[in-house]
Amino acid sequence: MRVLVEGSGGSAGWPEPGCRCASCLRQAADGNVRARSAIIVDGRLRLGAGDPAGVPGYQVRRLGNAGWDVTAPDGGRLLYPAGPGGTGPTPAPPEGTAPYDVAFLDLLGDPAQLGGLRARGLITAGTVTAVAYADHRVPSERELARRCGFWRVRLAGDGEAIDPARSVPKDRDFPAGVQGVRRVLVLGGARSGKSERAELRLAGEPQVTYVATGNRGTDDDPDWAARVAAHRARRPAWWRTAETTDLAGLLRADHGAAPGTARGALLIDGIGTWLAAVLDEGGWDLRDGAARDMVAARMAELVSAWRQACGYVVAVSDETGLGVVPAAPAGRLFRDELGRLNQALAAESEESELIVAGRVVPLGNS
């Protein structure tokens, strides 16, 4: 089976004609043009613009109004979406479906579908996975390429040919995470979008444990309950949840294993609530020698476990040092200790990034 990418853009292409949004204007200025998504299989079967015409030898199964499941005469298997996920459902192959050799997905509409298909074994290490319907739902071509990197998928261009027998990259060409990345620290202020970014990074992973740290609030705290509910609603249903402050223990559980094979990926959200819980144990007064030693030991233990982590782990932490100096001693203590801890974790991370107003600022390793 050979696939020609006729177009890879949104339902009206990218940039969209007449659209004045920043993404489309940026795309046009950079000279990047993606036509409406469509592919041609073996020069005979066209998908992406209406229902495909019947071609002898090809088994084409409609997945509701969400896409197509194709088996070619040579046995090759292909999945293709019907349209942008923002206006239509995500293809959901029925149980018993065989794995795909090539899968195009609208990952801007529903990134987590990738992890779900990998969890079901429908996208395997031998599948060539590519993005369809790339459009102004992402700020720029560069950001889309960055996401394709940590999702381990191909950003195919218009006119590109894909042959699953010879094509790279496939899943097997990427280790867990981003080409060897094991530790990612995502920093940001309140409501910056840092948690959403961390979740987006792990959307393509088939096994994810969401680690909720620190004080989980009380039953009479409706604001905290609403925050927890919002986080849960965003997470895919197949993700596990662990509520614990034993981050070092979780990180050490993957020690000695190949990346991503023992417990899958970890998403720690977040370091700030973990530190608050540790400071609770010390009574928020480090003038006491025993409390100071306990907090220092716990922080050192976490950094040591983070340094030796073998699984793919993404941690969210608060950037608290950009505002005014807190008036309360406890606030100053938390800010200072978290700043030191963020520095130590960032120094031991392959990637760190700062989220500001939902936009990503990659932080260099120098």
Side-chain angles (χ1 to χ4, degrees), residues 319-353:
E319 177 49 70
T320 61
L322 300 179
V324 298
V325 177
R332 293 194 294 271
L333 172 64
F334 178 76
R335 180 203 61 179
D336 293 348
E337 294 302 317
L338 183 58
R340 295 187 184 99
L341 182 55
N342 284 343
Q343 288 187 56
L345 293 175
E348 301 294 343
S349 301
E350 284 84 356
E351 288 193 14
S352 301
E353 54 189 20

Side-chain angles (χ1 to χ4, degrees), residues 286-325:
L286 300 193
R287 291 173 299 180
D288 176 83
R292 182 173 61 252
D293 291 346
M294 182 276 293
V295 171
R298 292 286 298 278
M299 291 172 60
E301 180 188 33
L302 173 58
V303 173
S304 176
W306 178 267
R307 181 186 297 119
Q308 298 300 326
C310 286
Y312 182 28
V313 55
V314 177
V316 177
S317 190
D318 303 283
E319 177 49 70
T320 61
L322 300 179
V324 298
V325 177

Side-chain angles (χ1 to χ4, degrees), residues 61 63 69 77 92-100 120-122:
R61 177 171 53 174
L63 301 175
D69 173 297
R77 301 267 297 129
E95 294 299 324
T97 299
Y100 295 102
R120 293 179 59 189
L122 298 182

Side-chain angles (χ1 to χ4, degrees), residues 37-58:
S37 280
I39 61 172
I40 300 176
V41 183
D42 296 331
R44 303 175 65 191
L45 177 67
R46 188 171 188 270
L47 298 170
D51 287 324
V55 176
Y58 289 83

Side-chain angles (χ1 to χ4, degrees), residues 35 74 93-94 128 131 146 164 184 217 246 255 289 314 332 354:
D74 63 1
V128 179
V131 172
R146 186 181 295 121
V184 180
D246 185 18
H255 186 66
V314 177
R332 293 194 294 271
L354 175 67

